Amino acid sequence: MSEKRKPTAKEQSAAGENLSGKSVAPDLQRFKRVQISPEKLAEKIISGDVVALSQAITLVESTNPAHAENAQSVIEKCLPHANRSVRIGITGVPGAGKSTFIETFGKHLTSVGKKVAVLVVDPSSTISRGSILGDKTRMEELVKDKNAFIRPSPSGNSPGGVARKTRETILLCEACGFDTIIVETVGVGQGETAVHSMVDFFLLLKLAGAGDELQGIKRGIMEMADAIVINKADGDNKKAADKARGEFARALHLYPPKENGWTPKVLTASALENRGITEIWELVESYISETRESGYFRHKRMEQNKYWLVQTIEDRLKMRFYQDENIKRQLDKELLALEKNETTPFAAARKLLELWDR
Amino acid sequence: MSEKRKPTAKEQSAAGENLSGKSVAPDLQRFKRVQISPEKLAEKIISGDVVALSQAITLVESTNPAHAENAQSVIEKCLPHANRSVRIGITGVPGAGKSTFIETFGKHLTSVGKKVAVLVVDPSSTISRGSILGDKTRMEELVKDKNAFIRPSPSGNSPGGVARKTRETILLCEACGFDTIIVETVGVGQGETAVHSMVDFFLLLKLAGAGDELQGIKRGIMEMADAIVINKADGDNKKAADKARGEFARALHLYPPKENGWTPKVLTASALENRGITEIWELVESYISETRESGYFRHKRMEQNKYWLVQTIEDRLKMRFYQDENIKRQLDKELLALEKNETTPFAAARKLLELWDR
């Protein structure tokens, strides 16, 4: 396996996304540091070694095709030990207090004997080393907890790539013995749909006072939530939080029930004063035991697997089509004709597909 | 152009969907009846001839490739005269009173000088001749109105096919001089997303009394609505309707505003007693003039054109992939491995894509 040669298109494809010429030099340096066999690495992870876990995640995140291959071997070996956790997605606009909440929530979880991994996903930004430090500083208590593992979002060129890396990181964390996975995302971008499709329970964090502050949340997120937590329900906010709770409960009542019959709950909490946290975990636990019993828990995970399989295939099929030079040229022409109402979307599509067939 | 030979795969592709071996005999009979040149047909349509309009729609709906070709020629010639209408989508669960509402609403529109075309879309069912009669009977006043044109859903083998046919039918109606297009859909299936993507204004019809009766409506439909009309607000229902109106208004207040800044309105109406109908049309008109002024009206139509272009292309790319015999076999194997947690969705996708490349 040569490390220096340029990756072929096939290898890029194998890595699941386009490299778009990004330099692989930093990854190569990291690769040299983690130069141990995938078998050995997997063994260490399964034995609970978080240093090995970190190294494997670095491989997963790498855009180097050789790393991607090694990462796949590690994951394959970890798979029989994965899939045995509770996965919780947490979203909310910036300022909703996600970090403080996760810190308090995570501390509660480790205090009741859980091993907690926190992954922070933000597909819209390319995370630098600086923000890793940032995340760790934001959760300074949790980061010192030996039963907690905090890892920032993998950076990536495509939302699909970030989602794949996050999913694979979840599997590695599970194989390493983490039984509670928290995936944090900012509820303003594309990330929450992806995160919703990789967790068992989806929690929306909101601020006290309903109405205006909701503006930042993307349409559709409320419908994904299994629970809404009105955060910062402390001090002068307490009354507003209770009011907001009632309003959200009424609003959720207007929605049809979810596929599994679960009605989303609304709770208030103060991460700062550590109030309401126990209740939230009890709610998650009752949800999990209810859905485990009904078979929905397993059913949903299988559906998520299929979703990601289909998603990955279709992303790739589309990418190839739209990146073709002939298609690009013709597409521009057809879009112009559409703009002038000289063609219909269907006639334009037919032309492009005929071109693709040739 | 031979009428009897079997259509080639390419022609099937040109028709935008798979024929799946359906007999074309009835269409051929119809084709003989409408044996006039596309040029002549388009001319007649543009002059306002509704018989010619009906014939052209029959061509659009036909699964015969020769008809599909003629339909495209007619549409092409009609295009410069299309796109000058207001398109309104109306959805609601069965029993919400859609037909009675559209009859009353449509009569109001023709009374103020509008020419109204009503298209009924239900992608989940294959509509028979019987239901055409059914729809016409349901709107017995409107069907006699010379300024109204009622056409049931085109049947089709795929939701994509139905959507294409409905879009093309809209264009033909517009070229024929209909300035207000109403597209009716049942809010329980896949149809409403498609309909939402082909209209300027989307109206959700609901019954008095909030809560339980909402259960039938698919998640996400409420977020699409530009207006919610609480229907059957008459007699004993009036009080409940007013209450429901308040509840929906509060619930909608919790949503973030739409892209164009429009806040969805909630109105009550009684189609039976002809109350609230004028107000609904005024609301639509104010929406249209507001969005026309801001440029959003045109912007949205262009976005919808792009949506349908992309949708058609991607449906076709996916169909080819999933209908490949080798892919089918391997996909079954990968799904089984996923079920047993022996692979990941990403590893499975990679294998399938490599197979597709060979």
Side-chain angles (χ1 to χ4, degrees), chain B residues 35-49:
Chain B
Q35 195 67 284
I36 81 170
S37 77
E39 291 74 18
K40 191 75 199 148
L41 202 54
E43 245 172 59
K44 282 184 162 189
I45 290 169
I46 295 160
S47 78
D49 182 338

Side-chain angles (χ1 to χ4, degrees), chain B residues 101-172:
Chain B
F101 176 80
I102 291 172
E103 161 124 318
T104 312
F105 190 55
K107 287 297 288 177
H108 174 70
L109 292 175
T110 59
S111 80
V112 297
K114 299 285 169 194
K115 288 193 72 184
V116 182
V118 179
L119 310 174
V120 185
V121 173
D122 180 6
S124 61
S125 80
T126 41
I127 301 286
S128 66
R129 288 280 138 195
S131 83
I132 297 184
L133 206 65
D135 282 318
K136 294 210 168 177
T137 315
R138 288 195 299 140
M139 303 176 195
E140 52 183 11
E141 284 299 315
L142 198 59
V143 81
K144 285 183 264 174
D145 194 322
K146 70 172 176 34
N147 287 315
F149 176 80
I150 302 177
R151 183 88 185 191
S153 166
S155 62
N157 313 332
S158 67
V162 173
R164 176 183 62 76
K165 289 168 185 177
T166 307
R167 289 260 313 181
E168 292 179 347
T169 300
I170 290 176
L171 295 174
L172 293 173

Side-chain angles (χ1 to χ4, degrees), chain A residues 219-220 223 255-256 320 357, chain B residues 219-220 223 255-256 320 322 357:
Chain A
R219 298 182 75 81
E223 298 219 341
Y255 288 110
R320 287 179 196 183
D357 279 345
Chain B
R219 297 181 75 80
E223 298 218 341
Y255 288 111
R320 286 179 197 183
Y322 291 119
D357 279 346

Side-chain angles (χ1 to χ4, degrees), chain B residues 264-304:
Chain B
K265 305 293 182 293
V266 188
L267 299 171
T268 57
S270 165
L272 205 68
E273 299 177 358
N274 198 1
R275 275 190 302 97
I277 304 298
T278 317
E279 289 76 5
I280 293 167
W281 177 238
E282 280 169 6
L283 180 69
V284 175
E285 275 192 314
S286 78
Y287 175 89
I288 299 298
S289 71
E290 197 177 292
T291 54
R292 272 226 172 94
E293 210 163 296
S294 71
Y296 181 80
F297 185 88
R298 195 182 139 77
H299 166 75
K300 188 177 175 186
R301 285 214 171 171
M302 285 303 122
E303 288 305 306
Q304 289 178 336

Side-chain angles (χ1 to χ4, degrees), chain A residues 301-317:
Chain A
R301 286 213 170 172
M302 284 304 123
E303 288 304 307
Q304 289 178 337
N305 274 343
K306 281 183 214 161
Y307 170 84
W308 287 106
L309 169 61
V310 162
Q311 204 62 23
T312 309
I313 288 171
E314 295 175 2
D315 279 357
R316 189 75 205 156
L317 291 177

Side-chain angles (χ1 to χ4, degrees), chain B residues 86-259:
Chain B
V86 171
R87 302 170 185 164
I88 305 167
I90 296 181
T91 195
V93 292
K98 288 188 296 299
S99 302
T100 315
F101 176 80
I102 291 172
E103 161 124 318
T104 312
F105 190 55
K107 287 297 288 177
H108 174 70
L109 292 175
T110 59
S111 80
V112 297
K114 299 285 169 194
K115 288 193 72 184
V116 182
V118 179
L119 310 174
V120 185
V121 173
D122 180 6
S124 61
S125 80
T126 41
I127 301 286
S128 66
R129 288 280 138 195
S131 83
I132 297 184
L133 206 65
D135 282 318
K136 294 210 168 177
T137 315
R138 288 195 299 140
M139 303 176 195
E140 52 183 11
E141 284 299 315
L142 198 59
V143 81
K144 285 183 264 174
D145 194 322
K146 70 172 176 34
N147 287 315
F149 176 80
I150 302 177
R151 183 88 185 191
S153 166
S155 62
N157 313 332
S158 67
V162 173
R164 176 183 62 76
K165 289 168 185 177
T166 307
R167 289 260 313 181
E168 292 179 347
T169 300
I170 290 176
L171 295 174
L172 293 173
C173 290
E174 289 171 343
C176 194
F178 291 96
D179 52 28
T180 314
I181 315 287
I182 294 175
V183 188
E184 177 194 336
T185 180
V186 179
V188 289
Q190 298 296 312
E192 54 294 328
T193 313
V195 170
H196 179 250
S197 304
M198 57 177 86
V199 297
D200 307 311
F201 190 92
F202 197 63
L203 194 154
L204 173 58
L205 217 57
K206 301 196 89 23
L207 286 173
D212 288 339
E213 93 288 350
L214 289 157
Q215 315 261 339
I217 272 281
K218 233 187 84 197
R219 297 181 75 80
I221 294 190
M222 243 173 77
E223 298 218 341
M224 290 182 196
D226 296 304
I228 295 179
V229 171
I230 318 285
N231 195 19
K232 301 192 184 177
D234 36 44
D236 295 348
N237 273 327
K238 226 172 156 295
K239 222 170 150 181
D242 284 334
K243 187 164 167 273
R245 190 192 151 176
E247 285 180 26
F248 277 109
R250 268 196 302 280
L252 288 175
H253 179 63
L254 294 174
Y255 288 111
K258 300 201 159 198
E259 194 193 342

